[in-house]
Amino acid sequence: AAAAGEYTCAPHCEAWTCWRAHFEDLRRRAAHDALPAPLSAARALIYSGASHRAAGRAALAKLVDGCWCGMGNALVMDSSAHFAKPRPGKSPVGLWNPAYFDGASDYASHWAQVAPHLEEHLASRYALFADPSYRGVTAVHLRCSDVPFKRMPMYHLPTPSYWAWVRRELHAAGAPRRVVVFNSTSWGGPKAEESAACEAYAAGVAAFLRASGMDVSHAPEGMSEYETLEALLGASAVVAGMPSSFSFLPGVAKAARGAPYLTPLFYAELPLL
């Protein structure tokens, strides 16, 4: 049984009332401790101690364990609860997805409220910091492990034309030509054949970008979600290889500063060509 003020949603629960209860509880608490933005070097130093890191990781683990929705969705829900206006009748767990909004303006307005606070919020509450070793890097996050094999409509592989568009947009934005590909293949316990397919996909994307004149490498094997999120926060540009709640917040934080964040369309199942 969940403690007072905490909510645990069973995996079979199809209704989103449980998520909403957790979301509204977060909002009530957030009303008392809203944080300033943006994250300054001085404040980052305050948050960088070992005790704060341990407390932040424990808080993040508790958030994720309490929502059954994965780290990306949990952080999207949490940041929205702190900084955006309430959205009655809308599922809080899908707020990274434009399909949950009443048009593009509604979507943009919601995240414009949240974006300026993201880096401060992630650092102060969860000890998630931009990894400086990825400064000057374009991070390509493929998020290929349990998805796209679960075939949920928001998790799809884009066509090759998407990667051609990414190449053009990165060039136009003057994004770093040093690219690191994050495959996250081990996440979600994929089957052996699924892992092999993910590795092949990553190799194909890397080969395409390399042929486009980019200096491409792969992130170290076995990077944790925590380490990967900090790498994406530290990168100078973020590219999503499929719609992903995980790369969404680092991408939005980049976009708020005018840096490139590229992602495929959501809720559009596209055939491979």
Side-chain angles (χ1 to χ4, degrees):
E6 297 178 1
Y7 299 88
T8 301
C9 300
H12 64 270
C13 179
E14 296 182 3
W16 57 267
T17 52
C18 185
W19 304 112
R20 184 179 181 186
H22 182 53
F23 179 73
E24 293 304 327
D25 180 63
L26 286 170
R27 180 178 298 287
R28 284 192 295 271
R29 284 183 279 166
H32 301 286
D33 61 355
L35 298 166
L39 180 66
S40 67
R43 293 183 71 82
L45 185 62
I46 294 172
Y47 299 143
S48 64
S51 61
H52 178 71
R53 278 199 171 269
R57 293 195 181 211
L60 182 56
K62 183 178 180 181
L63 176 72
V64 174
D65 289 345
C67 82
W68 291 84
C69 57
M71 186 181 291
N73 278 314
L75 288 171
V76 164
M77 184 168 63
D78 177 64
S79 58
S80 291
H82 276 79
F83 303 112
K85 295 178 181 178
R87 300 187 56 77
K90 301 293 184 181
S91 170
V93 78
L95 291 176
W96 59 281
N97 192 325
Y100 283 73
F101 290 80
D102 299 322
S105 296
D106 187 30
Y107 182 65
S109 175
H110 177 91
W111 286 105
Q113 298 171 66
V114 180
H117 306 280
L118 279 175
E119 290 174 300
E120 174 85 23
H121 181 65
L122 295 176
S124 64
R125 186 166 292 267
Y126 301 115
L128 283 163
F129 302 95
D131 185 337
S133 65
Y134 287 92
R135 190 174 297 123
V137 164
T138 294
V140 175
H141 185 238
L142 299 184
R143 185 61 177 96
C144 188
S145 55
D146 53 336
V147 294
F149 307 104
K150 288 184 176 178
R151 310 312 301 151
M152 288 182 285
M154 72 282 284
Y155 291 134
H156 59 81
L157 293 174
T159 62
S161 62
Y162 169 71
W163 292 106
W165 175 78
V166 164
R167 177 180 57 191
R168 292 194 300 272
E169 291 295 310
L170 291 177
H171 178 74
R177 300 188 72 79
R178 182 186 166 208
V179 174
V180 177
V181 176
F182 297 82
N183 201 11
S184 308
T185 302
S186 63
W187 298 359
K191 299 174 183 176
E193 61 268 26
E194 294 173 351
S195 293
C198 287
E199 295 293 354
Y201 177 49
V205 169
F208 174 81
L209 296 175
R210 200 172 285 120
S212 304
M214 298 180 179
D215 177 15
V216 184
S217 61
H218 292 265
E221 249 183 85
M223 282 184 74
S224 69
E225 290 178 285
Y226 212 101
E227 292 169 326
T228 303
L229 194 57
E230 291 195 320
L232 298 182
L233 286 167
S236 297
V238 172
V239 177
M242 65 181 70
S244 169
S245 61
F246 187 87
S247 56
F248 180 78
L249 291 186
V252 167
K254 296 282 173 296
R257 296 200 304 267
Y261 167 45
L262 307 178
T263 183
L265 293 173
F266 298 78
Y267 265 92
E269 191 72 31
L270 303 178
L272 289 174
L273 300 180

